[in-house]
Amino acid sequence: MAQTRQLRLGAFMRPVSLHTGAWRYPGAYPDANFNFAHLKRFAQRLEGAKFDAFFMADHLAVLNMPIEALKRSHTVTSFEPFTLLSALAAVTDRIGLVATASTTFDEPYHIARRFASLDHISGGRAGWNIVTTSNPDAALNFGRQEHVEHGERYRRAREFYDVVTGLWDSFADDAFVRDAESGLYFDPLKLHVLDHKGPSLSVRGPLNIARSPQGWPVIVQAGASEPGRQLAAETAEVIFAAHADLAAGQRFYADVKARAVKAGRSRDDIKILPGAFVVVGDTVEEARAKRAKLDSLVYYESGIASLSIAIGHDASGFDPDAPLPDIPETNASKSGRERVIELAREEDLTVRQLAQRLGGYSGLAFVGTAKAIADEMEEWLVSEGSDGFNVMFPFLPAGLDDFVDKVVPELQRRNIFRREYEGSTLRENLGLARPANRFFEEAPVDRRKAV
Amino acid sequence: MAQTRQLRLGAFMRPVSLHTGAWRYPGAYPDANFNFAHLKRFAQRLEGAKFDAFFMADHLAVLNMPIEALKRSHTVTSFEPFTLLSALAAVTDRIGLVATASTTFDEPYHIARRFASLDHISGGRAGWNIVTTSNPDAALNFGRQEHVEHGERYRRAREFYDVVTGLWDSFADDAFVRDAESGLYFDPLKLHVLDHKGPSLSVRGPLNIARSPQGWPVIVQAGASEPGRQLAAETAEVIFAAHADLAAGQRFYADVKARAVKAGRSRDDIKILPGAFVVVGDTVEEARAKRAKLDSLVYYESGIASLSIAIGHDASGFDPDAPLPDIPETNASKSGRERVIELAREEDLTVRQLAQRLGGYSGLAFVGTAKAIADEMEEWLVSEGSDGFNVMFPFLPAGLDDFVDKVVPELQRRNIFRREYEGSTLRENLGLARPANRFFEEAPVDRRKAV
């Protein structure tokens, strides 16, 4: 049977890994947060493996956690995403570069400019992960005493998206004629002044940058709430989702694709990529041992705090080396509580191991041989659980190298992942159309590469 | 006589050149505004010539000019400076990277993060050109109907500087111990929460980025007004000045260095680099012919508009090919008017040539052989007109190549310009001290390279 559906793979990156124990793992680069040479190597390896995108998460504050936990975490500080991805653009050729930027704490003129500029510099490889920034500590760094409430953040985000995309369309694709003989640099009939005046934003335009290779950088979102899903269904081209299992993935996939169709879009206009934490071993036992080793490096008290929240009960008095005791019903979320109890039973975890799992990473994970991981990824793909994954490496560089050296070839053998990039832009590789300019007729065909 | 004072050379860059006729000059790259390969080549050539810094100007709006002039100008649109300089950081090793960023239309947390991040990525080569943004059109792109008035912009700029530098000091230089064995990533006693609450800004901090290689990126300013000079004398480490001639340069130099001393700083803590437009020829006639050719490519009506403003009299009826006629006294600035009349007389310019000079570039210029240009630069240096120059290339790539191939070796022969970089950071090359952290004791000696 010909397998034509193709996996899309993003790498969800923090310089040291998103796992809080990763900086202590043997062979890790604890200084990667500020060592560009490591990041360059990671991006080049991912490009060699034909990943669709390098995806950089972000925070607008030092993470909000007790100092005893904070001082043990490498996730506090790192490069700012825009400077990092712009630098990586200069040392890579094909991999997409997705930066997170906030609609609550930044200005649409700045965001539109920077992403268009990154798209020009990278030859069409920029993506914008739209976030509304839920961390209340961020507000305090931007002159606000109170965080903006959720509904208001989403209303502003939608308007912000309209303004940014409108600014990206300030010039027609063929506006810049640069005719040295006559002295005409651009055709003024192909310049549009946006003149937006809305409830949250007032932005005149035009943007002082030519329309970029992709027309618009790729729009990425991660919202899982009701307004988040709706915003994504209307505007997102890539969704970074978080699911506990395949069944949850399938429900989300069906829901969002249906919403997109209802909003007048095609199902293929949105690629849904759940985050997946991938630990590769030559045997399943080796993979599990690597994960257990990694979890054991998590600060125990942080883990216990996470466990207490999850079960709605103070876990600090539990025997760390015993199984999870029976705990009374509480008013913690029933599903979250049941998930934790089930996790402990399934993997036969002690209280310490369970706590450290929760304090490290406890979302969707594929832990096993390359073949078993490829089996799971293929199952998600063919059963419409996802269009691919945002891969999270447990530790770097070994976790990334394992995935690139062992899992990617297995996916390629199954013909569900590319051996060569299809095009030169992120849109072309993801199979996304280049957006028409809302203010101007289509550009000549030679400016719009086939996708 | 041993000549120990050394010239500092910045390159004041717009991708096609700041001269409005440059994109039409033979051999120019009219598409350089969005062609990264050209910018990479320029930066690498400047680094090969041991320039101190690549200096990127900026605008937060399409330039405010009539559409008939605008459509003929390449200065309308280009890369955003931060993305460009970050990309250049990845393909250069020693040259400084100075980006313009506005204190009026951006947030100190963002600015502090991006410059610190660029400093990390580049290994200590970032500089911040602080501007308050005088273009009133910019306000309309940032939700304001009226531009912020001058005094208020400068008060905010000063507070903004205090906040940004305070955020840069959020962590002691030796805060990050990264002891994998004990699990301690950073020492919490070496983290400072700024908690700034001032008249214009309220920013809690800490910055989510380690103190950068230079401690603080180099502070650059260009303000020439009374509050601009005072702000610069108190805070700037490099001043990008604009002077008509050496005498004006000497007055400014003496004034600002005296203000700096009065503010408790040393004269050497500020490097004053006037902008200088440099046209190189094998003979002075050839250099002048190049400039005349370049000026002839300026849109005549733009030039006439500039001339009319300069003399305070409508010049559109003048015979373009005749000398400047006698014009009645007007209420235009007397010094500006006299400068224009003198310029026409000195160089024997027709109305057309004069208009095109004003519409292109009419500030400080060195036009002649490499030897004559080196003579002028040396005279400015030894007579305390400046500490060096921000060189403006009339057209690219030829104007840059001429300077690098002909003028730089002449300066090196005179021992007033380096043959090798003195250090690895911009501060080390400029001879500027690394700022102490205002909240913490000095870091161990091995973290503070000698300058």
Side-chain angles (χ1 to χ4, degrees):
Chain A
M1 188 187 81
Q3 171 58 275
T4 53
R5 279 195 84 206
Q6 292 287 299
L7 272 177
R8 316 291 174 184
L9 293 183
F12 183 77
M13 298 293 291
R14 298 286 297 167
V16 182
S17 152
L18 83 167
H19 191 287
T20 55
W23 70 276
R24 303 176 66 192
Y25 198 84
Y29 302 144
D31 69 338
N33 284 326
F34 300 112
N35 186 326
F36 179 67
H38 294 320
L39 275 291
K40 177 176 163 180
R41 177 184 178 284
F42 299 155
Q44 290 177 339
R45 282 235 75 193
L46 292 166
E47 182 167 83
K50 317 301 175 194
F51 265 65
D52 288 85
F54 184 107
F55 187 113
M56 186 70 181
D58 194 32
H59 304 289
L60 292 176
V62 164
L63 288 179
N64 185 3
M65 53 170 102
I67 192 73
E68 283 301 306
L70 195 67
K71 75 184 188 187
R72 292 176 164 88
S73 174
H74 64 270
T75 60
V76 173
T77 59
S78 81
F79 296 116
E80 183 275 333
F82 240 98
T83 43
L84 176 63
L85 293 182
S86 301
L88 291 176
V91 293
T92 55
D93 291 314
R94 286 291 177 267
I95 194 167
L97 302 163
V98 181
T100 298
S102 170
T103 55
T104 303
F105 300 112
D106 214 325
E107 293 278 350
Y109 202 85
H110 286 317
I111 297 280
R113 266 188 100 198
R114 280 187 206 114
F115 279 94
S117 187
L118 179 60
D119 207 44
H120 280 289
I121 288 171
S122 64
R125 297 185 285 134
W128 173 26
N129 179 35
I130 304 181
V131 298
T132 67
T133 308
S134 59
N135 180 355
D137 279 9
L140 301 174
N141 290 331
F142 294 91
R144 315 216 189 145
Q145 291 315 301
E146 307 219 341
H147 197 48
V148 185
E149 66 85 13
H150 189 266
E152 168 55 23
R153 289 209 312 276
Y154 273 88
R155 281 188 296 277
R156 178 179 160 103
R158 179 54 206 252
E159 187 182 345
F160 199 110
Y161 164 87
D162 289 338
V163 172
V164 168
T165 53
L167 288 170
W168 283 337
D169 288 346
S170 292
F171 289 94
D173 284 312
D174 56 354
F176 291 86
V177 295
R178 302 190 190 100
D179 180 359
E181 188 56 38
S182 71
L184 186 69
Y185 195 76
F186 75 89
D187 179 350
L189 297 176
K190 296 186 174 173
L191 166 64
H192 179 86
V193 179
L194 185 65
D195 218 359
H196 174 89
K197 289 192 178 72
S200 300
L201 299 164
S202 164
V203 179
R204 192 176 73 167
L207 198 64
N208 55 358
I209 194 160
R211 199 159 193 259
S212 73
Q214 295 188 104
W216 301 356
V218 172
I219 303 292
V220 182
Q221 275 167 60
S225 66
E226 173 61 32
R229 282 185 190 210
Q230 191 55 32
L231 179 67
E234 292 171 15
T235 64
E237 299 176 294
V238 173
I239 297 181
F240 175 34
H243 303 310
D245 55 34
L246 176 56
Q250 288 168 324
R251 285 193 300 273
F252 181 87
Y253 192 94
D255 175 55
V256 171
K257 298 257 172 169
R259 286 179 194 240
V261 170
K262 206 167 165 187
R265 306 175 71 202
S266 143
R267 286 166 57 89
D268 291 338
D269 292 347
I270 305 188
K271 310 298 175 189
I272 298 179
L273 310 184
F277 187 82
V278 176
V279 187
V280 188
D282 288 335
T283 60
V284 65
E285 291 74 24
E286 191 197 31
R288 286 184 187 149
K290 286 182 182 179
R291 187 181 206 188
K293 168 75 182 169
L294 178 62
D295 282 349
S296 77
L297 299 171
V298 171
Y299 177 52
Y300 179 63
E301 302 297 334
S302 294
I304 283 294
S306 301
L307 176 59
S308 300
I309 291 165
I311 61 176
H313 185 93
D314 179 8
S316 62
F318 293 173
D319 178 354
D321 299 309
L324 188 66
D326 286 335
I327 37 181
E329 287 275 344
T330 66
N331 54 10
S333 136
K334 203 174 164 202
S335 66
R337 177 188 155 91
E338 279 169 6
R339 188 174 75 85
V340 169
I341 293 170
E342 195 184 311
L343 171 62
R345 189 166 43 219
E346 252 179 17
E347 298 194 27
D348 196 21
L349 302 176
T350 63
V351 165
R352 183 191 311 277
Q353 289 167 329
L354 181 64
Q356 288 180 318
R357 171 69 57 82
L358 295 176
Y361 172 84
S362 62
L364 181 66
F366 301 146
V367 181
T369 62
K371 187 178 169 307
I373 292 166
D375 285 344
E376 294 208 70
M377 289 190 158
E378 186 168 7
E379 186 184 4
W380 277 72
L381 181 69
V382 300
S383 69
E384 301 205 330
S386 77
D387 297 306
F389 294 93
N390 236 327
V391 179
M392 299 184 278
F393 305 110
F395 38 79
L396 294 159
L400 186 155
D401 290 338
D402 283 344
F403 190 88
V404 163
D405 293 334
K406 297 173 182 170
V407 180
V408 168
E410 181 65 30
L411 297 171
Q412 289 169 332
R413 262 193 294 278
R414 296 170 189 219
N415 290 320
I416 56 171
F417 190 62
R418 69 170 67 83
R419 289 163 195 270
E420 288 303 332
Y421 285 107
E422 293 82 8
S424 63
T425 71
L426 177 56
R427 288 189 173 279
E428 287 164 359
N429 290 321
L430 288 171
L432 294 169
R434 188 174 190 272
N437 188 315
R438 76 180 71 164
F439 305 120
F440 298 100
E441 290 295 304
E442 290 198 346
V445 167
D446 66 351
R447 290 293 306 268
R448 293 172 301 122
K449 300 203 177 138
V451 290
Chain B
M1 189 184 81
Q3 170 59 289
T4 53
R5 278 194 84 205
Q6 293 287 300
L7 273 176
R8 315 292 174 183
L9 294 182
F12 182 77
M13 299 293 292
R14 297 286 297 168
V16 181
S17 151
L18 83 167
H19 191 287
T20 56
W23 70 275
R24 302 175 66 193
Y25 198 84
Y29 302 144
D31 69 338
N33 284 326
F34 299 111
N35 187 325
F36 179 67
H38 294 320
L39 275 292
K40 177 175 163 179
R41 177 184 177 285
F42 299 156
Q44 290 177 339
R45 282 235 74 192
L46 292 166
E47 182 167 82
K50 317 300 175 195
F51 265 64
D52 289 85
F54 184 107
F55 187 112
M56 185 72 181
D58 194 33
H59 304 288
L60 291 176
V62 164
L63 288 180
N64 186 4
M65 52 170 102
I67 191 74
E68 282 302 306
L70 194 68
K71 75 184 188 187
R72 292 175 165 87
S73 173
H74 64 271
T75 60
V76 173
T77 58
S78 81
F79 296 116
E80 183 275 332
F82 241 97
T83 43
L84 177 63
L85 293 181
S86 301
L88 291 176
V91 293
T92 55
D93 290 315
R94 286 292 178 265
I95 194 166
L97 302 162
V98 181
T100 298
S102 170
T103 55
T104 303
F105 300 112
D106 214 325
E107 293 278 349
Y109 201 84
H110 286 317
I111 297 280
R113 265 188 100 199
R114 280 187 206 112
F115 279 93
S117 187
L118 179 59
D119 207 44
H120 281 288
I121 288 172
S122 64
R125 297 185 284 134
W128 173 26
N129 179 36
I130 304 183
V131 298
T132 68
T133 309
S134 58
N135 180 355
D137 279 10
L140 302 174
N141 290 330
F142 294 91
R144 316 219 188 144
Q145 291 315 299
E146 307 219 343
H147 196 47
V148 185
E149 68 80 16
H150 189 265
E152 168 56 23
R153 289 209 312 276
Y154 272 88
R155 281 188 295 278
R156 179 179 159 101
R158 179 55 208 251
E159 187 181 346
F160 199 109
Y161 164 87
D162 289 337
V163 172
V164 167
T165 52
L167 288 170
W168 282 336
D169 288 346
S170 292
F171 289 93
D173 284 313
D174 57 353
F176 290 87
V177 294
R178 302 191 189 101
D179 179 359
E181 189 56 37
S182 72
L184 186 70
Y185 195 76
F186 74 89
D187 179 349
L189 297 176
K190 296 186 173 175
L191 166 65
H192 179 85
V193 179
L194 185 65
D195 218 358
H196 173 90
K197 290 193 178 72
S200 300
L201 298 163
S202 164
V203 179
R204 192 177 72 168
L207 198 65
N208 55 358
I209 193 159
R211 199 158 192 260
S212 72
Q214 295 189 104
W216 301 356
V218 172
I219 302 292
V220 182
Q221 274 167 60
S225 67
E226 174 60 31
R229 281 184 190 212
Q230 192 53 34
L231 179 67
E234 292 171 14
T235 64
E237 298 176 294
V238 172
I239 297 182
F240 176 34
H243 303 311
D245 54 34
L246 177 56
Q250 288 167 326
R251 285 192 300 274
F252 181 86
Y253 191 93
D255 175 55
V256 170
K257 298 256 172 169
R259 287 180 193 241
V261 170
K262 205 167 164 187
R265 305 175 71 202
S266 143
R267 287 165 58 88
D268 291 337
D269 292 347
I270 305 187
K271 310 299 175 189
I272 298 180
L273 310 184
F277 187 82
V278 176
V279 187
V280 188
D282 288 335
T283 62
V284 65
E285 291 74 24
E286 191 198 30
R288 287 183 186 149
K290 285 181 182 178
R291 188 181 206 188
K293 167 75 182 170
L294 177 62
D295 282 351
S296 78
L297 299 171
V298 171
Y299 176 53
Y300 179 62
E301 303 295 336
S302 295
I304 283 294
S306 301
L307 177 58
S308 301
I309 291 165
I311 60 175
H313 185 93
D314 179 7
S316 63
F318 294 172
D319 177 354
D321 299 310
L324 188 66
D326 286 335
I327 37 181
E329 287 275 345
T330 64
N331 55 10
S333 136
K334 202 172 163 204
S335 65
R337 178 188 153 91
E338 278 168 8
R339 188 173 76 85
V340 168
I341 293 170
E342 192 185 313
L343 172 63
R345 189 167 43 219
E346 251 179 21
E347 298 194 27
D348 196 21
L349 302 175
T350 64
V351 166
R352 184 192 309 277
Q353 288 166 329
L354 181 63
Q356 288 179 320
R357 171 69 57 82
L358 296 175
Y361 172 83
S362 62
L364 181 66
F366 301 146
V367 181
T369 62
K371 188 179 169 308
I373 292 166
D375 285 343
E376 295 209 71
M377 289 189 158
E378 187 167 7
E379 187 184 3
W380 277 70
L381 181 69
V382 299
S383 69
E384 302 206 327
S386 76
D387 296 305
F389 294 93
N390 235 328
V391 180
M392 300 184 279
F393 305 110
F395 38 79
L396 294 159
L400 185 155
D401 290 338
D402 282 345
F403 191 88
V404 164
D405 294 334
K406 297 173 182 171
V407 181
V408 168
E410 181 64 30
L411 297 170
Q412 289 169 333
R413 262 192 294 279
R414 298 171 188 220
N415 291 321
I416 56 171
F417 189 62
R418 69 170 67 82
R419 289 163 196 270
E420 288 302 332
Y421 285 107
E422 293 82 9
S424 63
T425 71
L426 178 56
R427 287 188 174 278
E428 286 163 359
N429 290 321
L430 287 171
L432 295 168
R434 188 174 190 273
N437 189 314
R438 75 179 74 161
F439 305 120
F440 297 100
E441 290 295 305
E442 292 198 344
V445 167
D446 66 351
R447 288 294 303 268
R448 292 172 301 121
K449 300 203 179 141
V451 290

